[in-house]
């Protein structure tokens, strides 16, 4: 019943309203793409999905990511990495680094709330992460009402709600 | 504004704008604050072994044991936009194999409201201090520093290093007795 009312509204919209609507959607898209360019990251804003970095990050919190390749990887930094063969990136803290003169680096990560390091999460036989596994660094944070964003309905044209996607 | 849906949409858009303004205010009032304090570090014991790295790659590597003291007062860092501090004590050194090595030996989480004054004596490291190879033996310059990651309620996640470090020379020979 609700969907039929919505369609009637759409039919009643005149040209100006359609243009207005289009402007809003495209400016939202421009801001999002602009953010992607400025930060260098595929997803500049992500939602925390697991509790492995508590009490710093809880499920539902927002993280702002950058992905500048020239940023050196140092211990203590919170990096976003993807393990080969897995789709979901993980956001954990760097525990150990060994960097060669040439710039080649291998490093180990661990979630704050985990008792052990991430070697159990890496691929079979993989002991270290490398620069190519990194897809971003966590640079900013916003605490949010727990779980609020994860339950938002994904409706086209519902304002700005579909800009923010969960990724971790 | 004659359907529930359009009203809900406006309400949602408005609350989002208000929250964005609040977030920005939260962030901008604490963004340029100095977050470093003086830290006193001391090392009382250094031992070196050479064993198979059981935490990962199974190669014989240098394993260091350090007993340390930390004195620091982090009270001034906490303000209304700091949720917690993630402290970590890291050892930095360079070896023949690797130009730069950094290993976190110990970490601690201090939430807002917890005691911010650190007076730790004779602490043992939390994580195994394995080198990537045998670079700790005879290494004269292993520097320990205390750093922290400031986790705000909303804003940047800076990494700050305390002013104060200690340089530890490692022994030239391996310890064979079982002691730590």
């Amino acid at each position: 019943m609700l969907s039929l009312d919505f369609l009637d509204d759409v039919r009643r919209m005149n040209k100006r309203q359609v243009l207005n609507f289009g402007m809003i959607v495209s400016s939202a898209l421009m801001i999002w793409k602009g953010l992607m360019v400025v930060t260098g990251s595929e997803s500049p804003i992500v939602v925390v999905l697991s509790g492995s970095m508590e009490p710093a990050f809880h499920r539902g919190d927002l993280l702002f990511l950058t992905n500048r390749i020239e940023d050196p990887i140092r211990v203590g930094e919170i990096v976003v990495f993807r393990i080969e063969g897995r789709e979901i990136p993980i956001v954990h803290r760097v525990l150990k680094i060994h960097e060669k003169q040439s710039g080649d680096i291998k490093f180990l990560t661990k979630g704050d709330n985990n008792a052990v390091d991430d070697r159990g999460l890496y691929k079979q036989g993989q002991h270290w992460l490398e620069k190519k596994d990194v897809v971003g660094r966590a640079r900013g944070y916003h605490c949010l009402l727990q779980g609020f964003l994860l339950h938002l309905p994904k409706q086209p044209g519902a304002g700005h709600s579909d800009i923010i996607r969960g990724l971790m | 504004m004659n359907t529930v849906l359009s009203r809900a949409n406006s309400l949602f858009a408005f609350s989002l704008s208000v929250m964005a303004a609040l977030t920005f205010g939260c962030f901008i009032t604490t963004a340029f604050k100095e977050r470093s304090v003086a830290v006193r570090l001391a090392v009382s014991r250094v031992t070196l072994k050479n064993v198979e790295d059981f935490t990962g790659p199974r190669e014989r590597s240098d394993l260091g044991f350090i007993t340390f003291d930390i004195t620091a007062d982090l009270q001034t860092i906490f303000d209304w936009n700091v949720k917690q501090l993630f402290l970590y004590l890291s050892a930095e050194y360079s070896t023949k194999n690797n130009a730069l090595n950094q290993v976190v030996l110990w970490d601690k989480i201090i939430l807002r409201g917890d005691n911010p004054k650190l007076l730790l004596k004779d602490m043992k490291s939390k994580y195994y201090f394995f080198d990537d190879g045998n670079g700790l033996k005879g290494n004269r310059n292993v520097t320990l520093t205390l750093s922290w990651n400031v986790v705000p309620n909303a804003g940047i996640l800076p990494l700050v290093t305390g002013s104060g470090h200690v340089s530890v020379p490692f022994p030239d020979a391996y310890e064979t007795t079982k002691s730590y």
Side-chain angles (χ1 to χ4, degrees):
Chain A
M1 270 291 131
L2 202 63
S3 55
L4 286 179
D5 288 341
F6 179 65
L7 287 178
D8 282 344
D9 275 342
V10 170
R11 261 185 255 120
R12 270 197 290 264
M13 282 202 304
N14 61 28
K15 288 197 184 65
R16 166 169 286 169
Q17 282 179 314
V18 170
L19 267 173
N20 238 358
F21 178 73
M23 283 283 285
I24 294 174
V25 170
S26 28
S27 37
L29 196 63
M30 282 197 299
I31 293 174
W32 181 243
K33 291 293 179 185
L35 258 184
M36 276 173 66
V37 168
V38 160
T39 60
S41 163
E42 266 180 22
S43 28
I45 308 178
V46 295
V47 176
V48 176
L49 286 180
S50 85
S52 60
M53 284 292 279
E54 286 182 12
F57 309 146
H58 293 266
R59 288 187 191 83
D61 293 341
L62 288 182
L63 281 183
F64 301 94
L65 309 180
T66 64
N67 190 23
R68 297 202 198 92
I69 309 176
E70 62 272 15
D71 274 345
I73 301 174
R74 297 286 174 257
V75 287
E77 279 204 6
I78 304 175
V79 295
V80 186
F81 58 93
R82 198 176 264 138
I83 298 174
E84 262 177 81
R86 305 252 186 98
E87 214 188 84
I88 316 245
I90 303 175
V91 182
H92 281 173
R93 202 180 290 273
V94 176
L95 192 69
K96 219 181 188 214
I97 66 159
H98 296 291
E99 187 175 47
K100 295 211 183 294
Q101 188 75 34
S102 57
D104 286 341
I105 189 169
K106 57 186 186 185
F107 61 98
L108 176 64
T109 56
K110 174 181 171 293
D112 290 351
N113 206 21
N114 296 344
V116 295
D117 59 42
D118 290 343
R119 285 201 165 115
L121 289 173
Y122 299 166
K123 217 170 55 170
Q124 186 71 273
Q126 180 187 9
H127 297 294
W128 304 98
L129 288 175
E130 290 162 27
K131 241 186 249 185
K132 63 173 174 59
D133 299 311
V134 175
V135 292
R137 315 285 166 92
R139 293 278 184 231
Y141 168 78
H142 188 322
C143 68
L144 217 56
L145 305 165
Q146 199 123 346
F148 174 68
L149 274 183
L150 292 176
H151 298 306
L152 275 183
K154 279 198 190 299
Q155 286 175 358
H160 305 274
S161 54
D162 35 309
I163 287 180
I164 300 174
R165 297 186 195 318
L167 243 205
M168 266 181 289
Chain B
M1 286 282 247
N2 51 4
T3 64
V4 175
L5 209 59
S6 60
R7 282 179 186 159
N9 188 28
S10 304
L11 192 65
F12 173 70
F14 182 64
S15 4
L16 210 60
S17 317
V18 168
M19 269 170 54
L22 275 178
T23 304
F24 188 72
C26 219
F27 155 67
I28 207 74
T29 48
T30 54
F32 304 108
K33 207 178 143 188
E34 179 60 56
R35 291 244 157 87
S36 179
V37 292
V39 172
R40 252 195 46 212
L41 298 169
V43 170
S44 48
R45 230 180 124 206
V46 179
T47 324
L48 181 62
K49 292 199 202 234
N50 185 270
V51 294
E52 217 182 66
D53 187 348
F54 47 81
T55 63
R58 296 201 166 271
E59 299 149 2
R60 284 196 80 88
S61 315
D62 281 354
L63 174 59
F65 297 91
I66 299 186
T67 312
F68 53 89
D69 306 332
I70 304 180
T71 313
D73 182 4
L74 306 162
Q75 179 70 58
T76 53
I77 306 177
F78 282 96
D79 57 27
W80 56 284
N81 196 23
V82 173
K83 197 164 92 155
Q84 79 168 50
L85 289 184
F86 184 90
L87 300 166
Y88 54 102
L89 182 78
S90 54
E92 184 172 320
Y93 58 100
S94 92
T95 63
K96 217 166 26 116
N97 274 353
N98 297 299
L100 176 66
N101 303 276
Q102 288 184 330
V103 180
V104 172
L105 299 178
W106 172 91
D107 56 38
K108 182 179 169 70
I109 293 177
I110 301 186
L111 296 169
R112 190 169 72 195
D114 289 351
N115 182 15
K117 300 194 201 309
L118 290 178
L119 249 173
L120 306 164
K121 289 228 169 303
D122 293 332
M123 301 288 294
K124 298 207 201 306
S125 55
K126 216 180 186 188
Y127 305 107
Y128 285 105
F129 188 177
F130 270 110
D131 180 38
D132 178 38
N134 303 316
L136 286 179
K137 181 168 162 203
N139 197 321
R140 291 273 157 257
N141 201 1
V142 177
T143 311
L144 294 180
T145 46
L146 184 70
S147 313
W148 45 91
N149 185 199
V150 181
V151 180
N153 279 321
I156 311 184
L157 292 160
L159 288 177
V160 184
T161 305
S163 59
H165 60 93
V166 64
S167 225
V168 181
F170 264 75
D172 292 321
Y174 294 125
E175 177 91 26
T176 46
T177 58
K178 275 191 188 299
S179 62
Y180 180 33

